[in-house]
Amino acid sequence: MERLKNLLPSLAVMALLIGAWWLIVVEARSVIFPTPWQVVTGASELVQNGVLWEHIGASLFRVGSGFLLAVAFAVPLGLWMGWVRGAFATFNPIFQMLRPISPIAWIPIAILWFGVGDASPIFLIFISSVFPMVVQTTSGVHTIERRYLRAAGNFGVSRATLFRRVVIPAALPQVIVGMRIGLGVAWLVVVAAEMVALRSGLGYLIIDSRNAGNRYDLVIAAMIIIGLIGLLLDGLMRLLEGLKAVQWRYAR
Amino acid sequence: MPAKIVVQDIRKTFSSDKGPLPVLERVSFSVGDGELVAVVGPSGCGKSTLLNVIAGFERPDHGLVTIDGTEQVRPSAQGILISQHGSVFPWLTVQQNLMFGLNGHVYSDRETLAGHYAAMVGLKGFESSYPHELSGGMLKRAELARALVVKPEILYMDEPFSALDALLNLRMRNELLRILSEERHTVVLVTHDVEEAIHLADRILVLSPRPAILQAVFDVPLLHPRRLSSPAVQELKVAILRELGVSSDSA
């Protein structure tokens, strides 16, 4: 009930926006720009002929593969860079230089290296989400409070135990923050990547809808769906923040 | 009483922006086996540094610390440091914290030991809680229990209870005395609280302002439990405060 109350203002604004959109389109007698209702019917058309699920599945598959590859690469690397000074000194400058390059700028290279199949967008997603995760994981290790490392040292535990019981769990909250950022960027990039060459995915759906007869109702439907799925993915990552073993960092 | 810890002629200088900062100047003393020695001194005098050197976290520039005749060069589980801010791992449950230092035991033994010490410090029933779910006093108990589990010969305590309120501070002192009567440990306690020192210690070392030298030593020949309002305690307190440059009228 309380949550519903908190949600009320934003729902009201949303309703207002949709109302204004509707009114303007009707008043302007636009033939191309759809009314909200046309978007709804367009979306249900996509649902009924099953095309929508294929596109969503294709996009999620690319994001999932690229993101998981990035996690598998970034987390161990970030831990290593955070723990070993030399590794940080060696690799950090390279990452700091690569990081500001927009993943979109990699598109030509992706096509050159991987062609126009699934590998290209997976590579782009990998590129886009790997850097924030490396950076967050590294800083997660760097910000471990000294008193914990000292206490662990006091008990004379082995290096492996120190890493497994102290370093990794201490950095975990930051790793999860990195994963949240990474997945968010990945979802942004997959749509852009799919606009270029592929024949499936939500990005392709948008471009294809426009090219095949100015179906702007489908363009907007796809945009809304992208937004909703993005929200869902972020919610999924936030579930990780609810884990008991990381709550100490977020609770206070 | 055989000497457990021997501190010989320790000197320590830190480098700062304004040049070298001498902190400890020729400090020597020894601590007997099973003795509880308190170190008091004005704040910033180098008490914590001294404790860190004794515990092996820092190397002295000059001099030597020996434990049972062996030079102390690095921290070990033989002596566990308990500090003011605490270092209970927030990502582990109380039980996992307690079992942290136990290597080379089978799991069921570690569980039994952890349970034993959780009960000893009054944390029975909180084994599966996370530290952020505990109060300040309970956190201290957890920290103490985690140290006791590994059966250290020495406890190094750096202002262990000073972050607690006065009532809790007093309660934890009594708990500590009870535990020490059950388990024999050598304790080096650093504190700025003279009353706490008198309450707990067998002997009190007074350090001078920085660079610290050993200024005075007081024996505390009082039996436990000690009544803090007793004349003997008050007399000792006045004498120690005088060493610290505080007249008893203003104390």
PDB file of all heavy atoms in Angstrom, chain B residues 55-87:
ATOM      1  N   ALA B  55      53.343  -6.065  18.887  1.00  0.00           N
ATOM      2  CA  ALA B  55      52.555  -7.100  18.225  1.00  0.00           C
ATOM      3  C   ALA B  55      53.151  -7.529  16.891  1.00  0.00           C
ATOM      4  O   ALA B  55      52.700  -8.492  16.278  1.00  0.00           O
ATOM      5  CB  ALA B  55      51.125  -6.597  18.009  1.00  0.00           C
ATOM      6  N   GLY B  56      54.163  -6.796  16.424  1.00  0.00           N
ATOM      7  CA  GLY B  56      54.852  -7.206  15.201  1.00  0.00           C
ATOM      8  C   GLY B  56      54.318  -6.550  13.938  1.00  0.00           C
ATOM      9  O   GLY B  56      54.750  -6.889  12.841  1.00  0.00           O
ATOM     10  N   PHE B  57      53.355  -5.619  14.075  1.00  0.00           N
ATOM     11  CA  PHE B  57      52.824  -4.959  12.882  1.00  0.00           C
ATOM     12  C   PHE B  57      53.779  -3.900  12.346  1.00  0.00           C
ATOM     13  O   PHE B  57      53.715  -3.529  11.188  1.00  0.00           O
ATOM     14  CB  PHE B  57      51.460  -4.316  13.177  1.00  0.00           C
ATOM     15  CG  PHE B  57      50.356  -5.323  13.292  1.00  0.00           C
ATOM     16  CD1 PHE B  57      49.877  -5.719  14.526  1.00  0.00           C
ATOM     17  CD2 PHE B  57      49.817  -5.905  12.152  1.00  0.00           C
ATOM     18  CE1 PHE B  57      48.858  -6.656  14.628  1.00  0.00           C
ATOM     19  CE2 PHE B  57      48.803  -6.840  12.243  1.00  0.00           C
ATOM     20  CZ  PHE B  57      48.327  -7.216  13.490  1.00  0.00           C
ATOM     21  N   GLU B  58      54.625  -3.392  13.238  1.00  0.00           N
ATOM     22  CA  GLU B  58      55.620  -2.436  12.782  1.00  0.00           C
ATOM     23  C   GLU B  58      56.977  -2.821  13.350  1.00  0.00           C
ATOM     24  O   GLU B  58      57.059  -3.366  14.447  1.00  0.00           O
ATOM     25  CB  GLU B  58      55.249  -1.012  13.235  1.00  0.00           C
ATOM     26  CG  GLU B  58      54.163  -0.407  12.376  1.00  0.00           C
ATOM     27  CD  GLU B  58      53.796   0.992  12.833  1.00  0.00           C
ATOM     28  OE1 GLU B  58      54.711   1.765  13.147  1.00  0.00           O
ATOM     29  OE2 GLU B  58      52.596   1.284  12.865  1.00  0.00           O
ATOM     30  N   ARG B  59      58.022  -2.530  12.576  1.00  0.00           N
ATOM     31  CA  ARG B  59      59.361  -2.819  13.060  1.00  0.00           C
ATOM     32  C   ARG B  59      59.926  -1.583  13.743  1.00  0.00           C
ATOM     33  O   ARG B  59      59.722  -0.473  13.266  1.00  0.00           O
ATOM     34  CB  ARG B  59      60.285  -3.211  11.895  1.00  0.00           C
ATOM     35  CG  ARG B  59      59.891  -4.451  11.122  1.00  0.00           C
ATOM     36  CD  ARG B  59      59.677  -5.700  11.983  1.00  0.00           C
ATOM     37  NE  ARG B  59      60.741  -5.942  12.964  1.00  0.00           N
ATOM     38  CZ  ARG B  59      61.880  -6.568  12.688  1.00  0.00           C
ATOM     39  NH1 ARG B  59      62.131  -6.990  11.479  1.00  0.00           N
ATOM     40  NH2 ARG B  59      62.762  -6.763  13.636  1.00  0.00           N
ATOM     41  N   PRO B  60      60.614  -1.774  14.865  1.00  0.00           N
ATOM     42  CA  PRO B  60      61.251  -0.620  15.496  1.00  0.00           C
ATOM     43  C   PRO B  60      62.490  -0.205  14.697  1.00  0.00           C
ATOM     44  O   PRO B  60      63.063  -1.021  13.982  1.00  0.00           O
ATOM     45  CB  PRO B  60      61.641  -1.165  16.868  1.00  0.00           C
ATOM     46  CG  PRO B  60      61.795  -2.637  16.673  1.00  0.00           C
ATOM     47  CD  PRO B  60      60.827  -3.026  15.590  1.00  0.00           C
ATOM     48  N   ASP B  61      62.871   1.072  14.822  1.00  0.00           N
ATOM     49  CA  ASP B  61      64.103   1.526  14.168  1.00  0.00           C
ATOM     50  C   ASP B  61      65.323   0.994  14.913  1.00  0.00           C
ATOM     51  O   ASP B  61      66.383   0.798  14.356  1.00  0.00           O
ATOM     52  CB  ASP B  61      64.163   3.061  14.155  1.00  0.00           C
ATOM     53  CG  ASP B  61      63.013   3.657  13.370  1.00  0.00           C
ATOM     54  OD1 ASP B  61      62.523   2.965  12.458  1.00  0.00           O
ATOM     55  OD2 ASP B  61      62.608   4.782  13.684  1.00  0.00           O
ATOM     56  N   HIS B  62      65.109   0.800  16.186  1.00  0.00           N
ATOM     57  CA  HIS B  62      66.208   0.363  17.033  1.00  0.00           C
ATOM     58  C   HIS B  62      65.602  -0.438  18.165  1.00  0.00           C
ATOM     59  O   HIS B  62      64.459  -0.208  18.551  1.00  0.00           O
ATOM     60  CB  HIS B  62      66.954   1.600  17.595  1.00  0.00           C
ATOM     61  CG  HIS B  62      68.102   1.243  18.483  1.00  0.00           C
ATOM     62  ND1 HIS B  62      67.959   1.128  19.845  1.00  0.00           N
ATOM     63  CD2 HIS B  62      69.391   0.964  18.189  1.00  0.00           C
ATOM     64  CE1 HIS B  62      69.132   0.779  20.371  1.00  0.00           C
ATOM     65  NE2 HIS B  62      70.017   0.676  19.386  1.00  0.00           N
ATOM     66  N   GLY B  63      66.349  -1.377  18.676  1.00  0.00           N
ATOM     67  CA  GLY B  63      65.839  -2.152  19.792  1.00  0.00           C
ATOM     68  C   GLY B  63      65.187  -3.440  19.325  1.00  0.00           C
ATOM     69  O   GLY B  63      65.217  -3.795  18.144  1.00  0.00           O
ATOM     70  N   LEU B  64      64.562  -4.122  20.258  1.00  0.00           N
ATOM     71  CA  LEU B  64      64.186  -5.507  20.011  1.00  0.00           C
ATOM     72  C   LEU B  64      62.990  -5.874  20.884  1.00  0.00           C
ATOM     73  O   LEU B  64      62.906  -5.451  22.033  1.00  0.00           O
ATOM     74  CB  LEU B  64      65.396  -6.365  20.406  1.00  0.00           C
ATOM     75  CG  LEU B  64      65.411  -7.857  20.145  1.00  0.00           C
ATOM     76  CD1 LEU B  64      65.527  -8.106  18.651  1.00  0.00           C
ATOM     77  CD2 LEU B  64      66.600  -8.486  20.873  1.00  0.00           C
ATOM     78  N   VAL B  65      62.061  -6.610  20.315  1.00  0.00           N
ATOM     79  CA  VAL B  65      60.973  -7.169  21.110  1.00  0.00           C
ATOM     80  C   VAL B  65      61.098  -8.679  21.042  1.00  0.00           C
ATOM     81  O   VAL B  65      61.221  -9.241  19.951  1.00  0.00           O
ATOM     82  CB  VAL B  65      59.593  -6.750  20.566  1.00  0.00           C
ATOM     83  CG1 VAL B  65      58.483  -7.448  21.336  1.00  0.00           C
ATOM     84  CG2 VAL B  65      59.426  -5.247  20.634  1.00  0.00           C
ATOM     85  N   THR B  66      61.125  -9.326  22.178  1.00  0.00           N
ATOM     86  CA  THR B  66      61.158 -10.786  22.138  1.00  0.00           C
ATOM     87  C   THR B  66      59.956 -11.346  22.877  1.00  0.00           C
ATOM     88  O   THR B  66      59.510 -10.805  23.885  1.00  0.00           O
ATOM     89  CB  THR B  66      62.445 -11.363  22.774  1.00  0.00           C
ATOM     90  OG1 THR B  66      62.545 -10.873  24.116  1.00  0.00           O
ATOM     91  CG2 THR B  66      63.679 -10.967  22.006  1.00  0.00           C
ATOM     92  N   ILE B  67      59.410 -12.409  22.316  1.00  0.00           N
ATOM     93  CA  ILE B  67      58.318 -13.151  22.946  1.00  0.00           C
ATOM     94  C   ILE B  67      58.873 -14.526  23.274  1.00  0.00           C
ATOM     95  O   ILE B  67      59.323 -15.229  22.364  1.00  0.00           O
ATOM     96  CB  ILE B  67      57.115 -13.312  21.989  1.00  0.00           C
ATOM     97  CG1 ILE B  67      56.743 -11.996  21.310  1.00  0.00           C
ATOM     98  CG2 ILE B  67      55.939 -13.967  22.714  1.00  0.00           C
ATOM     99  CD1 ILE B  67      55.944 -11.041  22.133  1.00  0.00           C
ATOM    100  N   ASP B  68      58.874 -14.899  24.513  1.00  0.00           N
ATOM    101  CA  ASP B  68      59.474 -16.170  24.939  1.00  0.00           C
ATOM    102  C   ASP B  68      60.897 -16.301  24.413  1.00  0.00           C
ATOM    103  O   ASP B  68      61.325 -17.390  24.004  1.00  0.00           O
ATOM    104  CB  ASP B  68      58.646 -17.364  24.443  1.00  0.00           C
ATOM    105  CG  ASP B  68      57.300 -17.445  25.142  1.00  0.00           C
ATOM    106  OD1 ASP B  68      57.224 -17.055  26.315  1.00  0.00           O
ATOM    107  OD2 ASP B  68      56.333 -17.895  24.499  1.00  0.00           O
ATOM    108  N   GLY B  69      61.592 -15.179  24.358  1.00  0.00           N
ATOM    109  CA  GLY B  69      62.993 -15.230  23.939  1.00  0.00           C
ATOM    110  C   GLY B  69      63.213 -15.195  22.435  1.00  0.00           C
ATOM    111  O   GLY B  69      64.343 -15.130  21.979  1.00  0.00           O
ATOM    112  N   THR B  70      62.119 -15.241  21.645  1.00  0.00           N
ATOM    113  CA  THR B  70      62.269 -15.211  20.194  1.00  0.00           C
ATOM    114  C   THR B  70      61.920 -13.819  19.690  1.00  0.00           C
ATOM    115  O   THR B  70      60.930 -13.236  20.124  1.00  0.00           O
ATOM    116  CB  THR B  70      61.323 -16.225  19.523  1.00  0.00           C
ATOM    117  OG1 THR B  70      61.363 -17.431  20.258  1.00  0.00           O
ATOM    118  CG2 THR B  70      61.720 -16.477  18.085  1.00  0.00           C
ATOM    119  N   GLU B  71      62.714 -13.311  18.752  1.00  0.00           N
ATOM    120  CA  GLU B  71      62.455 -11.958  18.274  1.00  0.00           C
ATOM    121  C   GLU B  71      61.127 -11.886  17.513  1.00  0.00           C
ATOM    122  O   GLU B  71      60.822 -12.750  16.692  1.00  0.00           O
ATOM    123  CB  GLU B  71      63.598 -11.474  17.380  1.00  0.00           C
ATOM    124  CG  GLU B  71      63.434 -10.003  17.034  1.00  0.00           C
ATOM    125  CD  GLU B  71      64.551  -9.473  16.134  1.00  0.00           C
ATOM    126  OE1 GLU B  71      65.496 -10.224  15.842  1.00  0.00           O
ATOM    127  OE2 GLU B  71      64.456  -8.303  15.721  1.00  0.00           O
ATOM    128  N   GLN B  72      60.387 -10.855  17.810  1.00  0.00           N
ATOM    129  CA  GLN B  72      59.093 -10.633  17.146  1.00  0.00           C
ATOM    130  C   GLN B  72      59.345  -9.865  15.864  1.00  0.00           C
ATOM    131  O   GLN B  72      59.740  -8.697  15.895  1.00  0.00           O
ATOM    132  CB  GLN B  72      58.187  -9.833  18.090  1.00  0.00           C
ATOM    133  CG  GLN B  72      56.845  -9.447  17.524  1.00  0.00           C
ATOM    134  CD  GLN B  72      55.810 -10.548  17.687  1.00  0.00           C
ATOM    135  OE1 GLN B  72      56.075 -11.700  17.374  1.00  0.00           O
ATOM    136  NE2 GLN B  72      54.655 -10.207  18.186  1.00  0.00           N
ATOM    137  N   VAL B  73      59.126 -10.494  14.727  1.00  0.00           N
ATOM    138  CA  VAL B  73      59.362  -9.785  13.470  1.00  0.00           C
ATOM    139  C   VAL B  73      58.087  -9.589  12.663  1.00  0.00           C
ATOM    140  O   VAL B  73      58.010  -8.726  11.806  1.00  0.00           O
ATOM    141  CB  VAL B  73      60.407 -10.501  12.582  1.00  0.00           C
ATOM    142  CG1 VAL B  73      61.790 -10.316  13.170  1.00  0.00           C
ATOM    143  CG2 VAL B  73      60.073 -11.971  12.437  1.00  0.00           C
ATOM    144  N   ARG B  74      57.091 -10.418  12.912  1.00  0.00           N
ATOM    145  CA  ARG B  74      55.821 -10.230  12.201  1.00  0.00           C
ATOM    146  C   ARG B  74      54.682 -10.690  13.098  1.00  0.00           C
ATOM    147  O   ARG B  74      54.901 -11.457  14.035  1.00  0.00           O
ATOM    148  CB  ARG B  74      55.821 -11.035  10.895  1.00  0.00           C
ATOM    149  CG  ARG B  74      55.855 -12.547  11.061  1.00  0.00           C
ATOM    150  CD  ARG B  74      55.849 -13.228   9.725  1.00  0.00           C
ATOM    151  NE  ARG B  74      57.060 -12.974   8.979  1.00  0.00           N
ATOM    152  CZ  ARG B  74      58.193 -13.679   9.134  1.00  0.00           C
ATOM    153  NH1 ARG B  74      58.251 -14.675   9.999  1.00  0.00           N
ATOM    154  NH2 ARG B  74      59.263 -13.380   8.438  1.00  0.00           N
ATOM    155  N   PRO B  75      53.464 -10.162  12.818  1.00  0.00           N
ATOM    156  CA  PRO B  75      52.335 -10.588  13.648  1.00  0.00           C
ATOM    157  C   PRO B  75      52.054 -12.071  13.458  1.00  0.00           C
ATOM    158  O   PRO B  75      52.305 -12.629  12.395  1.00  0.00           O
ATOM    159  CB  PRO B  75      51.172  -9.741  13.118  1.00  0.00           C
ATOM    160  CG  PRO B  75      51.599  -9.240  11.785  1.00  0.00           C
ATOM    161  CD  PRO B  75      53.083  -9.174  11.812  1.00  0.00           C
ATOM    162  N   SER B  76      51.581 -12.701  14.503  1.00  0.00           N
ATOM    163  CA  SER B  76      51.203 -14.101  14.374  1.00  0.00           C
ATOM    164  C   SER B  76      50.020 -14.355  15.291  1.00  0.00           C
ATOM    165  O   SER B  76      49.666 -13.518  16.124  1.00  0.00           O
ATOM    166  CB  SER B  76      52.361 -15.015  14.762  1.00  0.00           C
ATOM    167  OG  SER B  76      52.478 -15.054  16.173  1.00  0.00           O
ATOM    168  N   ALA B  77      49.433 -15.513  15.140  1.00  0.00           N
ATOM    169  CA  ALA B  77      48.249 -15.856  15.927  1.00  0.00           C
ATOM    170  C   ALA B  77      48.608 -16.124  17.389  1.00  0.00           C
ATOM    171  O   ALA B  77      47.737 -16.336  18.219  1.00  0.00           O
ATOM    172  CB  ALA B  77      47.552 -17.068  15.316  1.00  0.00           C
ATOM    173  N   GLN B  78      49.902 -16.085  17.680  1.00  0.00           N
ATOM    174  CA  GLN B  78      50.333 -16.230  19.074  1.00  0.00           C
ATOM    175  C   GLN B  78      49.838 -15.057  19.911  1.00  0.00           C
ATOM    176  O   GLN B  78      49.575 -15.196  21.101  1.00  0.00           O
ATOM    177  CB  GLN B  78      51.864 -16.282  19.094  1.00  0.00           C
ATOM    178  CG  GLN B  78      52.458 -16.543  20.459  1.00  0.00           C
ATOM    179  CD  GLN B  78      53.970 -16.379  20.431  1.00  0.00           C
ATOM    180  OE1 GLN B  78      54.525 -15.671  19.602  1.00  0.00           O
ATOM    181  NE2 GLN B  78      54.644 -17.053  21.343  1.00  0.00           N
ATOM    182  N   GLY B  79      49.728 -13.886  19.268  1.00  0.00           N
ATOM    183  CA  GLY B  79      49.219 -12.703  19.953  1.00  0.00           C
ATOM    184  C   GLY B  79      48.246 -11.975  19.050  1.00  0.00           C
ATOM    185  O   GLY B  79      48.589 -11.618  17.932  1.00  0.00           O
ATOM    186  N   ILE B  80      47.016 -11.800  19.520  1.00  0.00           N
ATOM    187  CA  ILE B  80      45.994 -11.188  18.668  1.00  0.00           C
ATOM    188  C   ILE B  80      45.727  -9.757  19.124  1.00  0.00           C
ATOM    189  O   ILE B  80      45.591  -9.489  20.317  1.00  0.00           O
ATOM    190  CB  ILE B  80      44.681 -12.000  18.707  1.00  0.00           C
ATOM    191  CG1 ILE B  80      44.909 -13.427  18.192  1.00  0.00           C
ATOM    192  CG2 ILE B  80      43.592 -11.302  17.877  1.00  0.00           C
ATOM    193  CD1 ILE B  80      45.248 -13.541  16.735  1.00  0.00           C
ATOM    194  N   LEU B  81      45.668  -8.863  18.152  1.00  0.00           N
ATOM    195  CA  LEU B  81      45.421  -7.451  18.434  1.00  0.00           C
ATOM    196  C   LEU B  81      43.928  -7.142  18.347  1.00  0.00           C
ATOM    197  O   LEU B  81      43.260  -7.512  17.390  1.00  0.00           O
ATOM    198  CB  LEU B  81      46.173  -6.580  17.418  1.00  0.00           C
ATOM    199  CG  LEU B  81      45.992  -5.065  17.571  1.00  0.00           C
ATOM    200  CD1 LEU B  81      46.811  -4.525  18.729  1.00  0.00           C
ATOM    201  CD2 LEU B  81      46.374  -4.344  16.290  1.00  0.00           C
ATOM    202  N   ILE B  82      43.431  -6.490  19.377  1.00  0.00           N
ATOM    203  CA  ILE B  82      42.041  -6.027  19.374  1.00  0.00           C
ATOM    204  C   ILE B  82      42.081  -4.513  19.421  1.00  0.00           C
ATOM    205  O   ILE B  82      42.635  -3.931  20.341  1.00  0.00           O
ATOM    206  CB  ILE B  82      41.273  -6.600  20.576  1.00  0.00           C
ATOM    207  CG1 ILE B  82      41.127  -8.104  20.401  1.00  0.00           C
ATOM    208  CG2 ILE B  82      39.902  -5.942  20.696  1.00  0.00           C
ATOM    209  CD1 ILE B  82      40.560  -8.802  21.609  1.00  0.00           C
ATOM    210  N   SER B  83      41.531  -3.878  18.387  1.00  0.00           N
ATOM    211  CA  SER B  83      41.690  -2.427  18.298  1.00  0.00           C
ATOM    212  C   SER B  83      40.375  -1.716  18.556  1.00  0.00           C
ATOM    213  O   SER B  83      39.314  -2.301  18.602  1.00  0.00           O
ATOM    214  CB  SER B  83      42.233  -2.043  16.925  1.00  0.00           C
ATOM    215  OG  SER B  83      41.271  -2.341  15.947  1.00  0.00           O
ATOM    216  N   GLN B  84      40.511  -0.420  18.718  1.00  0.00           N
ATOM    217  CA  GLN B  84      39.379   0.425  19.077  1.00  0.00           C
ATOM    218  C   GLN B  84      38.230   0.315  18.073  1.00  0.00           C
ATOM    219  O   GLN B  84      37.080   0.200  18.455  1.00  0.00           O
ATOM    220  CB  GLN B  84      39.880   1.870  19.143  1.00  0.00           C
ATOM    221  CG  GLN B  84      38.810   2.866  19.479  1.00  0.00           C
ATOM    222  CD  GLN B  84      39.381   4.272  19.520  1.00  0.00           C
ATOM    223  OE1 GLN B  84      40.580   4.484  19.339  1.00  0.00           O
ATOM    224  NE2 GLN B  84      38.526   5.237  19.753  1.00  0.00           N
ATOM    225  N   HIS B  85      38.577   0.355  16.792  1.00  0.00           N
ATOM    226  CA  HIS B  85      37.520   0.416  15.790  1.00  0.00           C
ATOM    227  C   HIS B  85      36.986  -0.959  15.424  1.00  0.00           C
ATOM    228  O   HIS B  85      35.992  -1.075  14.719  1.00  0.00           O
ATOM    229  CB  HIS B  85      38.015   1.141  14.540  1.00  0.00           C
ATOM    230  CG  HIS B  85      38.459   2.531  14.836  1.00  0.00           C
ATOM    231  ND1 HIS B  85      37.581   3.497  15.250  1.00  0.00           N
ATOM    232  CD2 HIS B  85      39.681   3.100  14.851  1.00  0.00           C
ATOM    233  CE1 HIS B  85      38.246   4.621  15.483  1.00  0.00           C
ATOM    234  NE2 HIS B  85      39.526   4.406  15.251  1.00  0.00           N
ATOM    235  N   GLY B  86      37.667  -1.983  15.909  1.00  0.00           N
ATOM    236  CA  GLY B  86      37.167  -3.323  15.644  1.00  0.00           C
ATOM    237  C   GLY B  86      37.480  -3.771  14.236  1.00  0.00           C
ATOM    238  O   GLY B  86      37.659  -2.956  13.340  1.00  0.00           O
ATOM    239  N   SER B  87      37.580  -5.064  14.052  1.00  0.00           N
ATOM    240  CA  SER B  87      37.871  -5.576  12.726  1.00  0.00           C
ATOM    241  C   SER B  87      37.128  -6.878  12.477  1.00  0.00           C
ATOM    242  O   SER B  87      37.593  -7.738  11.761  1.00  0.00           O
ATOM    243  CB  SER B  87      39.377  -5.787  12.564  1.00  0.00           C
ATOM    244  OG  SER B  87      39.827  -6.690  13.554  1.00  0.00           O
TER     245      SER B  87
END
